Each structure stands twice: as C-alpha cells, then as structure tokens.
Amino acid sequence: MSDDQTRKEEEAREREESLEVAESDVDEVDEEEIDEDVLTEDELDEVDEVEEVDEGEKEIGAIMVLGQSGFEEGQSNRGADDPSDNTLAEPQFVAKYGEMLFVADRGNHRVLGWNTFPEENGEPASFVLGQEDFSDCLENRGITTTLDEMTSGLGDESLDGFTISKPEEDTLSQPAGLDIIDGKLYVSDSGNHRVLRWNGLPSDDGEAPGLVLGQDNLECGEANRRGLVGSGSLFFPFGVRSGDDQHVFVADKDNHRVLIWKKIPFNNGWNADICLGQSDMDEREANRGDFENVTPDSMSFPTGVFYHAETGKIFVVDQGNNRVLIWNKMPSHNGVPADLVLGQPNFYSRDVNAGQGGYRCDAVGMYFPTDVVYGRKGLFVSDSGNNRILGWKEFPTENGQPADFVIGQKSFYENKFNRNGDPAHCTLNDPYGLFLEEDPEDEDDPGRLYICDRGNARVVIWEELPIAEVEKPEEDEEQLHAEVEDPELLMGEDEDFFEEDEMPPEELEEETA
C-alpha cells in the first residue's frame, strides 16, 4: 500500500470519528432540551425568551375589527352579492356615543347602528338606517326621478330628462360624516346634498330623521337647492361635527367651504352663520376660482372638520390641496385665513406628498387626506392616498411639521395599500373617517382610535399606538421641503376672531320638527 493511500484512509477514519462525536453531542443537547424537568425556573424563562425572539415579535395593531370576521379578510360585504347585518362596503365615517356605535356604510347606502358596544370581531349590528332591512343596498331604496335643466344644481340644460335617484325622508345616498350632537344623530347624506338629524338616538330599522340641513324639506335632494348657492345650501357635504354640543360644522365638499352654525339649528334648511374657504356665502369655486394658486383662506374639496372645544381650535382637511388647515380661534366672519398648515411646507403649496408625487412619501407630505381628530392621545390625520394614519404626539407649532408616528405602514416612506400584501391587523387600505374615544374625566384613560378602513370594507379599533422612532432615508428632508420665505405666511389677525367676552350667546331653546 502506498503512503498516499494510507494517508487517505487515516483521514477518512478521523472524519468518521469526528462525525460520531458531533452526533453524540447533538443527541445529548436534544435530551437536555426535552427534559425540561431538570432545568431551573430561570433557565426555562431564558428558553422561552429565545423562542419568542425566533418566532418574531407581533407588530402593534388593531384589537378589534367590524365588517369582517377576522383581520385577514378584506372583501366588500365579505364577498357576497348582498349585504347583511355584519358586513360593510366602503365604510366612510364612524362615531360612538355611550355604548352605541354608528358606521356610515357608503357602498350599501345605509348607516349601521349597534345598541351596545361589540364584544367580538365581526359582531352584527342591531339596526339599519336608510334601508328597510339589512339585505337591502339600493341608493334611496331604488326610487328615481327625472332631471330638469336646474335639478342638477348647476343649471346644465344637457341634463334635462336624465334619470337620477330620488330621496325620501327615510332614504340615504352615499352617507358620509356622522356625529352625535346634543344627544341627536347627524348624518351627511352626501348624494342627496343634505345633512339629516334624528330627534334623538335611533334604534329601529329604517327610522326616519326629523330635520334636514341643505334642503327645504326631507323630500328634496337637489344640489344647492336647484343651483342657488347660499348659506342654507349644500353640494355633496362630507364631514359633520360639533365638539361642544352647541356649534355645528359641515365640510361642504363640492362648494369648497366649511359651514359653521353658531347655534343648534331648529328648523329645516336653517342658514349657516359663517363659512371658511370662501369670502362670501354665494361663492363656490375651488381655491376661490384660481385653482392652482392656493392660499391660507382657500379650499379645494374639504372632506373633514374637527372642533376642539377645550382649546377652541378648528381643524379642516383640505383634501384637494393635500393638506390640513388649523385655526387657533373661532372665526367671527367669512373667509378668515388659517393659522397653521400641515402636509405642505407653506400655505402656497398644494402638490401631492408636498411635491414628491404619488409614489414617494415621508413624514411631511399627504396624498388626498380625508379626516382629522385631536385629543390627549395626539393629533391624527387619515392620509388616505398613502394608506396610512399620520400621528403627532403633541399639537404641531410649525407649518409642515413632520408627524411623529405612522399607523398602517412600517415607516413614513412606504405607502402601498395593505403593504402590497393581504389585509392584517396592522395594515390599511384607503383609510377614511376617524373617531377618537377618550374619557374627559380620566386623564389616565388610554383611549381608542377608530378607523374606517374603507378599501378593506371594515372598521378597525386601535388602543396601543406604534410611536417608536422611524429610521429616515439618507436624503435630507429639509431640502425636499424647503421653506418659502414669504412675509404673508403669518396670517390671522386678532380682529378676525371672537374674544371670549365677545362670543355670541350659545344657549337657545331647541325645537324639534
């Protein structure tokens, strides 16, 4: 036998012996892992911690979902042709009052109500408004009428003879914003160009409202009352809120303004007192007729409004200009300019994502935002086109101030719906209306954030928020959103607002129709 052959055989025997020793060591380790009885309590805790790390920590997300049976589902009406008492189709806004919950279910032309707060995912609603029962979904229950040249609200003769849906007192068309004001339910019946008010809190299927804003009576549904734009007309109203059970705020979307009633209306078609976004009540052009030239006192398709009674601040989502406007005080007259802007570096910018376009986003820009809420938990904006909610821990103090955290995406720099995958407890798809639940008497109350996740046909409820710091890309964000120095940026003089001792009396005996 040659020396080379002898050396090769010796090397092969060494490899076999090493392999046997290694297998023996693995067997001993496996036996020790299986025999947990011989481990101490501290050692068992260490094993559990290692296993948790291996599995990966579960991301913070919603704790409950309505409209779907679980977080992994996202089909309209759960994939069925007709709705039921536990499905949704394009839910737009949500509100809670006591134990009652209301959701504007746009795609099914109805509002769903829960008499008691749901205890589990997908729990069915207690009653339906706008339809006779839960299986109906036709706009205005299928009732139609024929247009004349003025019924369009625009005086367009070419629409003469065109058939459209016709409202009645107990029907709905594309319902949007809703709120409970002074113990009564208000609903923006957008497609019928009106805001409906019930005489209290409805609890029966198909229950009719008792008062209407934007129309002469509950049988009318023309835009701007047949083209007459004024303090008592509406054109596709969206968000509706109060904040103090005294004022009423309506985002009059297609009239490009926000209307303010300083007292609770007590008659059909009651006129608003103040408008923001236009210089007068008879004007309705986007950005006051100069569409591309946005200013601190102009609006383009406002969708959301919020009034924080404790601070007196008014928040308006100016969707067409991709921004949120903030007033520090209650305006005293029409057209008062805003004091602060978010979503843009200044009052004179309106581009998507602050100029970066629809495919790039960050902590500053917005893409067709829809709603806004503010409270102890922070300031929240539904940045619908970026499929996320932007959050500020404290009230912003500078124009274009970046958000502190984001919900629905892993970072500020991603914007795909459902993160380019399937729905989950931490993802969003075209989020719309928001509702912030906080106990006003308990400062330690963690609160809950309700989100109408429209594209996923569901409402999700969050408690814990993902407020961890997010890594920023290498690009300099200040260069991306350079501040424009303009002496007119500081807007809003004291005389534009009421002083506390000049505020009009808010008490008024309310009559119901």
Side-chain angles (χ1 to χ4, degrees), residues 28-39:
E28 290 177 6
V29 170
D30 290 342
E31 289 175 3
E32 289 179 2
E33 288 179 348
I34 293 172
D35 189 8
E36 294 183 353
D37 293 337
V38 302
L39 296 178

Side-chain angles (χ1 to χ4, degrees), residues 310 375-377 437-447:
E310 185 176 340
R376 290 196 308 270
K377 209 172 180 73
E437 179 186 15
E438 293 178 322
D439 186 343
E441 299 179 357
D442 183 6
E443 294 186 358
D444 296 326
D445 174 46

Side-chain angles (χ1 to χ4, degrees), residues 287 291-295 300 318-324 341-362 364-369 383 386 388 400 480-482 484:
N287 289 329
F291 187 72
E292 292 299 329
N293 292 323
V294 60
T295 61
S300 174
D318 187 12
Q319 186 180 74
N321 291 323
N322 302 290
R323 64 184 187 175
V324 172
V341 61
L342 299 176
Q344 301 290 348
N346 56 69
F347 283 115
Y348 305 94
S349 305
R350 63 177 303 272
D351 294 330
V352 169
N353 285 323
Q356 298 185 87
Y359 298 100
R360 297 181 64 195
C361 58
D362 56 17
V364 174
M366 298 177 186
Y367 188 1
F368 289 171
D383 188 11
N386 286 321
R388 65 185 185 177
L480 289 174
H481 309 290
V484 177

Side-chain angles (χ1 to χ4, degrees), residues 172-183:
L172 292 171
S173 171
Q174 305 175 62
L178 41 75
D179 197 10
I180 293 84
I181 304 173
D182 193 30

